[in-house]
C-alpha cells in the first residue's frame, strides 16, 4: 500500500494525534497522546491515552551515502491489567518487540482519517527499555524504537557458486576456487570523444574444461547473459569471437560459457600459443552488437542503469526495502550507466552498493516506515530548481528562524576540479580513460562547469580524483564528473525554522523558496533535511548554498 500524505487543506485547522502500536505476547497494544477511536477495514480500533512523551526526528544526510536511521524515543503507560514487572519476571521482555509510530489529524471534533490512511513515521523494534521505576506505576516504561541494523553478513554473491569438483576437467592452477562472476552492463565497450570505439578486455574467463589439442570451455558468467557472442583474449593478446552457450552444473545452477577450438589459437592450459607461451589468464570484452550481461529484473534489456542496479543490490541486503520509492526514482537514476563484473565472494550487498554505485548517484539512503528508501539530493541539481513552496521567515510570518546558521562543509573539503579515471582494463587493472571537470576546457578530456569557475574564483583550486571499476560509458563519466563538482564545490549551510502544523505535508528532500528580510534572502532555494514535531509546531532544518547560479541575493 502506498504511504499516504495529507494535503495542506487536510492539515489546516487540525492538530496531530500520534499513535503507538506494540505487538507483545501475541497482543497488539495501542496508545495515543490522547484517547481516540479510529475506523478501519477490520472495525473500530481504540487507542488508549498511554503515550506520554515522545521524540521523533526525520533526517537525511546530504553529505554521505550512509543510511540515516531515524529513532523514536518515548515513555508510555500500559493499561492497568499489564504489570511490566510481573511480565519481566515471567521472561516476557519488551526488547525486540515490533512497534510502529504514526499520526492522524484531529479536526472539528473528530479524526479525519481511517486507520489505513494514517501516516506511518517509523516501524522497528523496541530497544533498551526502562521499567520498574519506584517513582512510577508498574505500567510505566520508557524505550526507543529503532530500525533493524544492517546485516553486514548478507553477501551479494551466492558463496556456493565457485569453481570446484563440479568441473572435473577444470584447470586447477588458474580456475580452482574462483567465484563465478556476475556481469552487469557492457563491460569493455568504450567510445572516445572523437567517436573511436575501444574494445577493452574487462571481465575474467575461467577454464572449466580443457582438452588435448587446444580446445576447451571457459566460464564467463554466473547466470544467463543477453550476449549471443563475446570476444576472448589470452595474455599473449590473441583473440577469438565465440558463441555464448548456457549450461547447468550438477546442482542445477545456470552459468554461461564459451567453447574454444584448437584452430582459435587461444593459449589454453596444456597448449602453447603461437609464440610458444602458455596463457595464465583470459579476459572478455562485451559489445552492443552481440549484447551484454545479466538481464534487468525491472524492465527490458540488460542491468546497467544506476537506479535498477541500486534497486537490485539493495534488495539483496536482507533489509526491508521501500520498493515503490526506488521504482519512482529509478528513471532519473538510470541516466547513469554502469558496467563491470563482481567476483568478490566476501563482499556484502550493502558494502558493494555503498562503495561502488551510491557515491556516483545524487541520492542518500534512509530508513523509512516501508524500509530503505532513496532521497534525491535536489539541492545539488544541475538544472534549475523548482520550489514546492514559497515561504517567508520573520517576526510577523508563519515561519520563524530558531537557530543560528551553521556551515557543514569547510573550504578544505571543497572539490571544484574533479578527475574520474574509468574504463578499467582486465590485465593491467589500470584505467584506460579519463574525464576532468574544471573551470574551462584545456584538453579533450576536459568538460567546463560554471560551478567549477564560481568555486575556483572564490576559494582557489580544490582538486580531487577517483577511480571507478564500473564506468565505461563516457556520457555517464561526464555526468558524474559534473555532478561531483556541482555537489561539492560550495559550502553547505543549515539553520532551523519553526512552522505551524498545517505545513506537515512538507517532506525531507523538498525544495523551498525562502525569503527573509533579516537574512537578505529573496526566493533562495533550500532543501529540507530534517523534520521534527516540537509539541505545538514543526521544526524544519533547511540546507542551502551561497549559489548565485540558482539564487539572486537581495543585496
Amino acid at each position: 500500500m502506498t504511504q499516504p500524505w495529507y494535503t495542506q487543506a487536510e492539515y489546516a485547522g487540525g492538530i496531530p494525534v500520534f499513535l503507538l502500536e506494540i505487538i507483545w505476547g501475541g497482543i497488539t497494544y495501542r496508545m495515543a497522546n490522547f484517547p481516540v477511536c479510529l475506523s478501519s477495514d477490520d472495525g473500530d480500533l481504540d487507542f488508549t491515552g498511554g503515550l506520554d512523551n515522545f521524540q521523533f526526528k526525520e533526517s537525511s544526510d546530504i553529505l554521505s551515502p550512509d543510511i540515516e536511521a531515524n529513532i523514536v524515543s518515548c515513555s508510555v503507560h500500559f493499561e492497568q491489567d499489564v504489570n511490566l514487572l510481573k511480565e519481566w519476571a515471567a521472561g516476557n521482555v519488551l526488547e525486540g518487540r515490533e512497534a510502529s509510530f504514526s499520526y492522524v489529524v484531529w479536526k472539528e471534533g473528530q479524526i479525519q482519517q481511517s486507520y489505513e490512511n494514517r501516516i506511518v513515521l517509523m516501524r522497528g523494534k523496541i530497544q533498551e527499555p526502562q521499567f520498574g521505576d519506584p517513582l512510577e506505576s508498574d505500567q510505566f516504561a520508557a524505550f526507543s524504537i529503532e530500525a533493524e541494523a544492517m546485516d553486514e553478513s548478507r553477501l551479494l554473491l551466492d558463496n556456493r557458486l565457485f569453481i570446484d569438483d563440479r568441473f572435473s576437467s577444470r584447470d586447477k592452477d588458474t580456475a580452482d576456487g574462483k567465484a563465478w562472476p556476475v556481469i552487469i552492463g557492457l563491460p569493455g565497450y568504450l567510445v572516445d570523444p572523437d567517436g573511436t570505439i575501444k574494445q577493452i578486455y574487462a571481465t575474467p574467463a575461467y577454464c572449466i574444461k580443457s582438452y588435448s589439442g587446444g580446445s576447451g570451455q571457459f566460464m564467463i558468467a554466473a547466470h544467463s547473459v543477453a550476449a549471443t557472442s563475446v570476444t576472448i583474449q589470452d595474455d599473449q593478446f590473441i583473440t577469438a569471437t565465440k558463441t555464448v552457450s548456457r549450461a547447468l552444473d550438477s546442482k542445477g545452477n545456470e552459468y554461461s560459457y564459451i567453447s574454444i577450438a584448437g584452430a582459435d589459437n587461444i593459449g589454453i592450459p596444456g597448449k602453447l600459443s603461437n609464440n610458444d607461451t602458455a596463457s595464465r589468464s583470459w579476459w572478455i570484452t562485451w559489445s552492443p552488437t552481440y549484447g551484454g550481461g545479466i538481464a534487468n529484473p525491472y524492465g527490458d534489456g540488460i542491468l546497467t542503469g544506476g537506479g535498477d542496479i541500486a534497486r537490485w543490490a539493495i534488495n539483496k541486503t536482507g533489509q526491508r526495502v521501500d520498493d515503490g520509492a526506488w521504482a519512482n526514482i529509478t528513471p532519473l537514476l538510470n541516466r547513469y550507466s554502469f558496467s563491470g563484473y563482481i567476483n568478490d565472494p566476501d563482499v556484502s550487498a550493502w558494502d558493494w552498493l555503498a562503495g561502488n554505485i551510491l557515491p556516483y548517484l545524487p541520492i542518500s539512503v534512509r530508513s523509512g516506515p516501508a524500509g530503505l528508501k532513496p532521497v534525491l539530493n535536489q539541492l545539488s541539481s544541475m538544472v534549475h530548481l523548482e520550489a514546492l513552496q514559497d515561504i517567508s521567515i520573520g517576526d510577523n510570518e508563519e515561519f520563524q528562524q530558531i537557530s543560528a546558521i551553521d556551515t557543514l562543509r569547510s573550504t578544505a573539503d571543497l572539490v571544484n576540479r574533479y578527475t574520474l579515471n574509468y574504463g578499467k582494463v582486465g590485465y593491467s587493472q589500470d584505467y584506460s580513460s579519463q574525464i576532468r571537470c574544471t573551470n574551462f576546457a584545456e584538453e579533450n578530456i576536459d568538460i567546463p562547469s560554471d560551478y567549477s569557475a564560481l568555486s575556483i574564483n572564490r576559494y582557489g583550486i580544490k582538486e580531487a580524483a577517483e577511480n571507478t571499476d564500473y564506468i565505461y560509458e563516457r556520457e555517464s563519466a561526464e555526468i558524474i564528473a559534473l555532478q561531483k563538482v556541482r555537489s561539492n564545490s560550495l559550502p553547505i549551510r543549515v539553520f532551523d525554522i519553526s512552522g505551524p502544523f498545517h505545513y506537515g505535508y512538507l517532506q525531507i528532500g523538498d525544495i523551498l523558496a525562502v525569503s527573509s528580510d533579516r537574512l537578505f534572502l529573496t526566493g533562495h532555494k533550500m532543501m529540507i533535511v530534517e523534520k521534527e514535531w516540537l509539541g505545538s509546531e514543526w521544526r524544519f532544518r533547511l540546507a542551502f548554498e551561497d549559489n548565485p547560479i540558482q539564487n539572486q541575493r537581495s543585496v
Side-chain angles (χ1 to χ4, degrees):
M1 179 178 176
T2 303
Q3 168 82 352
W5 294 111
Y6 307 149
T7 65
Q8 187 171 9
E10 289 176 297
Y11 280 101
I15 60 172
V17 179
F18 289 91
L19 312 172
L20 175 67
E21 295 174 276
I22 300 170
I23 301 175
W24 185 29
I27 300 173
T28 300
Y29 295 91
R30 296 186 173 92
M31 309 172 199
N33 53 331
F34 62 86
V36 292
C37 180
L38 269 66
S39 63
S40 80
D41 293 344
D42 297 321
D44 290 345
L45 299 176
D46 290 319
F47 286 76
T48 68
L51 178 58
D52 296 338
N53 296 296
F54 61 87
Q55 183 177 21
F56 175 75
K57 178 178 70 177
E58 296 179 274
S59 62
S60 180
D61 187 352
I62 62 174
L63 301 182
S64 169
D66 292 339
I67 293 174
E68 186 74 15
N70 301 314
I71 298 175
V72 176
S73 300
C74 60
S75 61
V76 302
H77 279 88
F78 283 84
E79 297 176 52
Q80 285 298 318
D81 60 347
V82 178
N83 186 311
L84 296 180
L85 293 172
K86 184 177 180 180
E87 296 291 338
W88 167 63
N92 189 17
V93 297
L94 269 175
E95 55 263 35
R97 303 309 102 191
E98 293 183 8
S100 66
F101 185 69
S102 59
Y103 75 90
V104 290
V105 176
W106 174 279
K107 185 166 65 172
E108 298 173 351
Q110 60 183 358
I111 297 295
Q112 299 296 303
Q113 293 82 27
S114 67
Y115 174 78
E116 286 74 23
N117 285 318
R118 74 199 187 284
I119 291 182
V120 179
L121 297 172
M122 179 73 180
R123 284 191 177 95
K125 294 189 175 181
I126 292 175
Q127 301 294 346
E128 300 178 353
Q130 298 177 353
F131 55 94
D133 188 332
L135 301 180
E136 296 284 355
S137 72
D138 293 343
Q139 288 73 42
F140 175 83
F143 48 80
S144 62
I145 303 170
E146 301 179 17
E148 288 193 71
M150 178 66 69
D151 184 357
E152 298 290 348
S153 67
R154 293 296 293 262
L155 301 178
L156 181 62
L157 303 184
D158 186 339
N159 60 6
R160 297 169 298 178
L161 300 182
F162 58 93
I163 297 174
D164 57 8
D165 290 341
R166 282 172 281 190
F167 304 94
S168 58
S169 300
R170 69 195 181 282
D171 180 53
K172 294 182 179 180
D173 289 341
T174 61
D176 226 28
K178 299 292 187 182
W180 300 10
V182 170
I183 309 300
I184 57 175
L186 286 166
Y189 183 75
L190 194 150
V191 182
D192 279 341
D194 62 3
T196 302
I197 295 175
K198 289 182 180 178
Q199 286 294 164
I200 297 166
Y201 292 86
T203 69
Y206 301 123
C207 184
I208 54 174
K209 188 174 288 189
S210 177
Y211 300 108
S212 60
S215 61
Q217 292 180 357
F218 286 80
M219 178 186 288
I220 61 170
H223 45 79
S224 63
V225 295
T228 56
S229 297
V230 296
T231 302
I232 187 172
Q233 184 183 69
D234 66 18
D235 56 19
Q236 302 304 308
F237 309 108
I238 297 172
T239 66
T241 298
K242 307 301 295 183
T243 300
V244 175
S245 301
R246 297 169 183 81
L248 301 178
D249 71 359
S250 59
K251 299 177 182 178
N253 300 301
E254 186 177 36
Y255 62 92
S256 296
Y257 71 95
I258 56 174
S259 296
I260 298 296
D264 294 321
N265 290 319
I266 295 294
I268 73 169
K271 173 183 179 295
L272 301 182
S273 62
N274 287 346
N275 60 2
D276 296 329
T277 304
S279 288
R280 301 287 300 172
S281 63
W282 302 263
W283 294 85
I284 301 293
T285 189
W286 308 70
S287 76
T289 302
Y290 298 118
I294 193 170
N296 182 8
Y298 306 107
D300 296 333
I302 57 176
L303 183 64
T304 190
D308 290 328
I309 290 173
R311 193 176 172 191
W312 169 77
I314 209 161
N315 272 291
K316 292 181 177 292
T317 63
Q319 302 296 111
R320 197 152 47 92
V321 174
D322 188 342
D323 211 49
W326 285 99
N328 288 339
I329 203 172
T330 287
L332 174 64
L333 301 183
N334 278 350
R335 294 177 58 217
Y336 303 78
S337 180
F338 296 87
S339 297
Y341 70 95
I342 311 164
N343 72 339
D344 181 351
D346 299 320
V347 70
S348 73
W350 173 254
D351 284 347
W352 181 84
L353 178 61
N356 296 286
I357 305 299
L358 291 183
Y360 304 107
L361 298 178
I363 59 172
S364 59
V365 178
R366 72 183 185 92
S367 181
L372 300 180
K373 62 180 291 185
V375 176
L376 180 65
N377 182 6
Q378 294 193 76
L379 188 65
S380 296
S381 172
M382 290 188 292
V383 299
H384 180 71
L385 290 174
E386 294 294 336
L388 175 68
Q389 178 82 38
D390 291 351
I391 69 167
S392 295
I393 301 171
D395 292 341
N396 298 316
E397 305 291 349
E398 288 186 301
F399 292 91
Q400 309 294 315
Q401 182 182 350
I402 58 174
S403 80
I405 296 173
D406 192 12
T407 302
L408 299 184
R409 181 190 288 144
S410 73
T411 56
D413 296 323
L414 299 179
V415 176
N416 51 37
R417 179 173 287 171
Y418 174 81
T419 301
L420 183 67
N421 299 308
Y422 67 101
K424 190 173 185 180
V425 180
Y427 286 109
S428 66
Q429 297 292 290
D430 289 333
Y431 300 89
S432 63
S433 296
Q434 192 176 73
I435 199 82
R436 183 173 69 167
C437 181
T438 185
N439 51 345
F440 62 91
E442 297 176 317
E443 306 174 33
N444 65 353
I445 65 168
D446 291 341
I447 47 175
S449 163
D450 291 340
Y451 285 96
S452 175
L454 171 65
S455 180
I456 288 174
N457 286 338
R458 285 184 181 177
Y459 310 109
I461 295 175
K462 308 287 185 179
E463 294 193 77
E466 289 183 301
N467 303 325
T468 172
D469 294 354
Y470 292 95
I471 297 290
Y472 287 85
E473 183 189 83
R474 180 179 172 86
E475 182 180 353
S476 292
E478 288 182 354
I479 295 172
I480 288 168
L482 286 165
Q483 185 70 52
K484 285 286 187 175
V485 168
R486 169 64 190 93
S487 58
N488 293 283
S489 57
L490 297 171
I492 300 291
R493 309 193 195 280
V494 295
F495 68 100
D496 294 348
I497 63 172
S498 62
F501 174 64
H502 59 260
Y503 285 100
Y505 67 94
L506 297 175
Q507 304 301 320
I508 301 293
D510 285 347
I511 297 294
L512 305 180
V514 179
S515 298
S516 168
D517 291 339
R518 178 176 177 271
L519 300 178
F520 301 97
L521 298 174
T522 302
H524 201 97
K525 305 300 192 303
M526 302 188 184
M527 178 175 160
I528 299 173
V529 294
E530 280 187 9
K531 179 181 178 182
E532 180 181 14
W533 178 249
L534 297 179
S536 59
E537 59 191 358
W538 297 106
R539 179 187 66 83
F540 299 100
R541 174 157 292 184
L542 306 181
F544 69 100
E545 302 167 313
D546 297 329
N547 178 355
I549 298 172
Q550 289 278 6
N551 304 286
Q552 295 297 320
R553 300 301 296 266
S554 58
V555 291

